[in-house]
Amino acid sequence: MNALRPYRASDWPEVLALWIEAWTRARADIDFVARAPWLAELFAQSLAEGARIVVAEDESGLAGFVLFDPARKWLEQIAVHPRAQGAGAARELIGHAKAACPEGLALSVNADNCRALAFYAREGFAREAEGVNPLSGLPTLRLRWTPVTPSPAPQPPR
């Protein structure tokens, strides 16, 4: 079980290192160290616009983070440290974002990121549209999670 808490500015060096390591493992063909300024700007702008960043911690330290905007119902970034992948941090972080966006949540994912696509499918996200990542030019998929609304219980005849 991971402890979830709001991001603090002092988390930045560890968050950045985690993001670089996780994404480098997923896409070794992209220089994520060179993209660090982009992530720093994304964090600053997102926080200024009311987005939330939540981190997960385990016994070894920072296990992951999620950046999402409840007003736009948009998940911008989620990353889990490679040592913590498969241990539930991503599920807990996405669960937190879903709870904060009970009407639904959307995101964009690289179309060839099979591990992420399998995770999002398990979490109830469905394919909504295709796109292109503006930084890499790679094909993306827009996915949406819509909560299942239970049907009302049948009423007994009167």
Side-chain angles (χ1 to χ4, degrees):
M1 185 78 159
N2 296 287
L4 301 185
R5 65 166 174 79
Y7 167 82
R8 297 184 292 251
S10 61
D11 294 324
W12 174 247
E14 198 173 358
V15 164
L16 178 61
L18 178 155
W19 181 82
I20 290 170
E21 188 172 349
W23 273 106
T24 299
R25 284 200 181 195
R27 298 287 325 201
D29 56 323
I30 296 174
D31 182 359
F32 289 95
V33 172
R35 290 198 179 170
W38 171 84
L39 187 67
E41 185 171 322
L42 176 66
F43 268 52
Q45 181 179 357
S46 296
L47 287 170
E49 293 174 355
R52 296 183 195 169
I53 304 170
V54 175
V55 299
E57 294 179 311
D58 62 15
E59 64 282 347
S60 298
L62 199 66
F65 74 90
V66 63
L67 163 56
F68 65 98
D69 184 341
R72 293 187 309 127
K73 299 171 185 58
W74 184 256
L75 189 143
E76 187 66 49
Q77 287 282 315
I78 186 169
V80 174
H81 195 287
R83 72 167 160 70
Q85 290 178 0
R91 187 175 54 254
E92 292 169 8
L93 289 164
I94 202 87
H96 180 86
K98 287 167 142 181
C101 302
E103 307 84 29
L105 186 64
L107 59 90
S108 180
V109 60
N110 288 327
D112 64 352
N113 190 337
C114 296
R115 182 180 177 108
L117 289 169
F119 168 73
Y120 292 128
R122 284 191 305 272
E123 290 299 317
F125 285 78
R127 183 175 168 169
E128 184 176 67
E130 296 178 5
V132 175
N133 182 305
L135 290 177
S136 67
L138 295 171
T140 61
L141 296 173
R142 182 180 169 115
L143 306 179
R144 177 171 299 283
W145 167 76
T146 304
V148 177
T149 306
S151 301
Q155 297 297 317
R158 296 183 188 238

